[in-house]
């Protein structure tokens, strides 16, 4: 057997210490520094966790240098082309793609739990009609724990499976209810005759007065969006879910925490910000002006939808989303849509401009997904809710992986304290 690789840390005045080097299936080797404090009295400082692996995981892998995203080892391109969202959900949860009977059983189980408790529906009346849907989502999803008392029994695999099913099944219903509430329209009950994504679209856009017939092209587009957003390694919201879950919090509270984190414009709100940017640019003739502003260090304007913290090459999800975008706009007769033409011109110039090429600022998935959702009829303020609906699959999978890991501990990051040194309180009368 080959000897275990070690990393040696030399500190002035101290005996060098060794730490094991851990080798993953894909990606960078990691130095195991869990004993660093005990051996040296030192901690590491890594603001933003740019070089720190916070956990072991078998779920998702990203190679940002080559533009690769794998779910359980499968390339995202293959999954998006060959599987629907619930097949991908089954894969993330169970580690393998379902066979025909497993697929049917899983889809049936999810369909049977799409209804929400009538008492939960009353929660919506407590919100202002103009409340942001993500604020509503955070409150309502967190409140689910009040309806499922078994949510705290994490040791029971059957209960974990029930929690997973309940959340995946009810998220489309809750998102649709948040939208309907903001418009003053009546809630639409789920239709068990429809598939997962078609049912969601019916609850969003249908009304009790007429039959809603889903457009298969639009259903496929939205289903693809769900698949592309199902999981994405240890991003901010996933890390939030894991950190909240490490305390033993119930999964509904953990997902609510993830939703709150996802709401940030630097995370799930990026596609909304991208569409707002396109509206600000307004016309194709103004693209060069805004490209110049994006390159100006003294200008606060940022070109949203380009570049990614992880991907240093083309975001593989963006390539898929670009294709879907064309299909949707063609189906709806919107090939000459102002925003789409503007986006294509912005993409063309940015990909040819030496500044963007050198910095590898390629279009990311948010660049196209906002246009697709707008064409489908989803309001801008609902974009991040759609993201949360899809990412709940990944969040729940990551949560379960963490709490079933025999090495898991409550999260407790250290800090580099730079505040005042210890000092004594001066009586009030003596303070200047």
């Amino acid at each position: 057997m080959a000897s275990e690789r070690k990393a040696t840390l030399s500190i002035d005045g101290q005996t060098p210490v060794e730490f094991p080097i851990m080798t993953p299936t894909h990606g960078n080797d990691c130095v195991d520094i869990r004993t660093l404090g005990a051996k040296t009295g030192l901690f590491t400082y890594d603001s933003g966790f740019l070089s720190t692996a916070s956990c072991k995981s078998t779920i998702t892998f990203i190679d940002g240098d080559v533009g690769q995203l794998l779910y359980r080892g499968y390339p995202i391109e293959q999954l998006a082309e060959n599987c629907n969202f619930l097949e991908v959900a089954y894969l993330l949860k169970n580690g393998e793609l379902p066979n025909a009977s497993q697929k049917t059983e899983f889809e049936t189980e999810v369909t049977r739990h799409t209804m929400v408790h009538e008492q939960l529906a009353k929660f919506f009346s407590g919100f202002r009609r103009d409340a942001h849907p993500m604020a509503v989502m955070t409150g309502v999803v967190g409140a689910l724990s009040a309806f499922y008392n078994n949510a705290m029994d994490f040791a029971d695999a059957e209960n974990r499976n029930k929690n997973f099913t309940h959340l995946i099944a009810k998220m489309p219903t809750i998102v649709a209810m948040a939208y309907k509430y903001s418009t003053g329209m009546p809630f639409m009950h789920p239709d068990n005759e429809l598939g997962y994504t078609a049912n969601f679209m019916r609850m969003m856009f249908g009304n009790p007065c007429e039959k809603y017939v889903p457009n298969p092209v639009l259903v496929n587009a939205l289903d693809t969006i769900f698949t592309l957003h199902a999981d994405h390694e240890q991003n901010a919201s996933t890390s939030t879910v894991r950190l909240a879950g490490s305390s033993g919090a119930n999964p509904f509270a953990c997902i609510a925490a993830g939703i709150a984190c996802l709401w940030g414009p630097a995370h799930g709100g990026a596609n909304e910000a991208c569409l707002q940017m396109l509206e600000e640019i307004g016309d194709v003739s103004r693209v060069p002006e805004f490209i110049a502003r994006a390159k100006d260090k003294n200008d606060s304007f940022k070109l949203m939808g380009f570049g990614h913290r992880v991907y240093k090459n083309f975001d593989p999800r963006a390539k898929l989303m670009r294709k879907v975008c064309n299909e949707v706009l063609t189906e709806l007769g919107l090939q000459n849509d102002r925003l789409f033409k503007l986006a294509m011109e912005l993409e063309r110039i940015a990909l040819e401009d030496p500044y963007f090429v050198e910095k590898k600022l390629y279009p990311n998935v948010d660049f196209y997904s906002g246009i697709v959702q707008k064409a489908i009829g989803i309001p801008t303020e609902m974009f991040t809710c759609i993201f949360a609906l899809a990412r709940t699959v990944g969040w729940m999978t990551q949560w379960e992986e963490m709490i079933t890991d025999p090495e898991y501990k409550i999260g407790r990051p250290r800090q580099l304290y730079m505040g005042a040194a210890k000092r004594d309180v001066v009586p009030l009368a003596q303070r200047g």
Side-chain angles (χ1 to χ4, degrees):
M1 180 181 293
S3 60
E4 185 182 50
R5 296 172 62 211
K6 302 280 188 180
T8 303
L9 176 63
S10 296
I11 305 168
D12 289 346
Q14 296 186 24
T15 302
V17 290
E18 293 185 333
F19 301 96
I21 296 176
M22 306 171 75
T23 301
T25 305
H26 296 299
N28 295 357
D29 289 352
C30 295
V31 179
D32 182 354
I33 59 168
R34 284 175 290 180
T35 59
L36 177 67
K39 289 180 176 179
T40 68
L42 300 175
F43 296 140
T44 57
Y45 176 71
D46 184 18
S47 179
F49 306 107
L50 300 181
S51 300
T52 300
S54 62
C55 63
K56 296 177 184 176
S57 183
T58 63
I59 302 167
T60 308
F61 173 73
I62 299 169
D63 188 331
D65 292 332
V66 301
Q68 182 184 67
L69 171 60
L70 306 178
Y71 289 175
R72 299 289 192 181
Y74 292 105
I76 190 64
E77 297 88 343
Q78 295 180 25
L79 291 171
E81 290 288 338
N82 297 290
C83 304
N84 66 25
F85 175 65
L86 284 188
E87 287 178 85
V88 171
Y90 184 98
L91 166 69
L92 290 172
K93 172 70 168 65
N94 299 292
E96 299 292 343
L97 286 167
N99 58 33
S101 62
Q102 290 169 333
K103 177 177 182 290
T104 299
E105 182 181 355
F106 180 67
E107 290 180 345
T108 300
E109 185 69 9
V110 170
T111 300
R112 288 178 56 248
H113 289 89
T114 51
M115 292 281 289
V116 298
H117 198 288
E118 280 300 300
Q119 289 298 112
L120 187 73
K122 295 179 180 179
F123 275 51
F124 287 86
S125 62
F127 297 100
R128 287 172 50 126
R129 292 278 182 181
D130 61 353
H132 195 287
M134 285 294 281
V136 176
M137 291 279 294
T138 304
V140 173
V141 172
L144 283 172
S145 58
F147 294 85
Y148 299 102
N149 295 328
N150 61 358
M152 292 297 292
D153 187 5
F154 307 151
D156 190 303
E158 184 177 349
N159 282 339
R160 294 198 301 271
N161 291 338
K162 287 179 180 178
N163 290 333
F164 182 88
T165 301
H166 286 153
L167 271 160
I168 303 313
K170 297 179 192 309
M171 281 297 285
T173 309
I174 292 171
V175 171
M177 291 172 76
Y179 170 62
K180 288 294 192 184
Y181 182 74
S182 70
T183 64
M185 296 179 67
F187 296 148
M188 292 287 288
H189 287 153
D191 183 348
N192 288 356
E193 296 299 315
L194 295 175
Y196 187 84
T197 304
N199 188 29
F200 170 66
M201 293 185 70
R202 176 187 168 278
M203 290 190 290
M204 280 282 291
F205 305 123
N207 67 73
C209 301
E210 55 192 47
K211 184 176 177 60
Y212 179 82
V213 181
N215 182 318
V217 174
L218 305 188
V219 170
N220 177 69
L222 193 55
D223 198 78
T224 301
I225 288 177
F226 291 166
T227 292
L228 299 183
H229 289 85
D231 198 54
H232 210 238
E233 232 186 55
Q234 304 308 313
N235 53 80
S237 58
T238 298
S239 296
T240 297
V241 169
R242 278 182 172 261
L243 187 59
S246 74
S247 72
N250 72 76
F252 302 105
C254 296
I255 300 306
I259 292 171
C261 180
L262 187 69
W263 191 1
H267 193 7
N271 53 10
E272 184 176 343
C274 183
L275 201 63
Q276 291 170 348
M277 176 200 69
L278 293 175
E279 292 286 6
E280 181 184 357
I281 296 174
D283 187 79
V284 171
S285 62
R286 301 188 67 196
V287 170
E289 170 194 342
F290 281 84
I291 289 285
R293 288 184 60 188
K295 295 189 289 185
D296 185 351
K297 294 181 180 179
N298 298 316
D299 195 318
S300 60
F301 173 77
K302 292 184 179 181
L303 199 60
M304 303 301 295
F306 285 80
H308 194 279
R309 177 161 172 177
V310 176
Y311 295 110
K312 307 309 176 187
N313 205 314
F314 218 104
D315 182 343
R317 301 170 301 168
K319 294 180 180 179
L320 294 162
M321 206 67 251
R322 190 182 195 277
K323 177 175 177 288
V324 168
C325 190
N326 278 309
E327 291 172 352
V328 167
L329 295 176
T330 299
E331 174 68 16
L332 298 176
L334 298 174
Q335 301 93 322
N336 295 317
D337 177 77
R338 174 180 61 89
L339 287 182
F340 183 63
K341 292 179 70 175
L342 177 57
M344 293 302 96
E345 179 64 8
L346 190 64
E347 176 195 58
R348 184 189 67 79
I349 293 178
L351 291 179
E352 294 175 356
D353 190 291
Y355 174 88
F356 292 95
V357 173
E358 180 183 345
K359 293 183 177 295
K360 296 184 178 180
L361 295 176
Y362 301 105
N364 60 40
V365 67
D366 299 310
F367 185 73
Y368 300 106
S369 63
I371 298 172
V372 172
Q373 291 183 65
K374 183 176 186 296
I376 290 174
I378 298 169
T380 306
E381 63 271 16
M382 291 296 300
F383 288 178
T384 316
C385 297
I386 302 296
F387 195 157
L389 188 166
R391 185 56 58 83
T392 297
V393 169
W395 287 336
M396 283 298 292
T397 304
Q398 298 271 354
W399 168 82
E400 181 170 21
E401 181 180 66
M402 179 200 66
I403 65 167
T404 56
D405 183 349
E407 295 183 352
Y408 115 83
K409 298 178 177 63
I410 184 172
R412 181 56 170 89
R414 299 293 185 168
Q415 65 174 13
L416 180 62
Y417 177 70
M418 303 295 286
K422 181 183 177 182
R423 50 186 172 170
D424 297 321
V425 175
V426 176
L428 178 61
Q430 299 177 22
R431 297 175 205 163

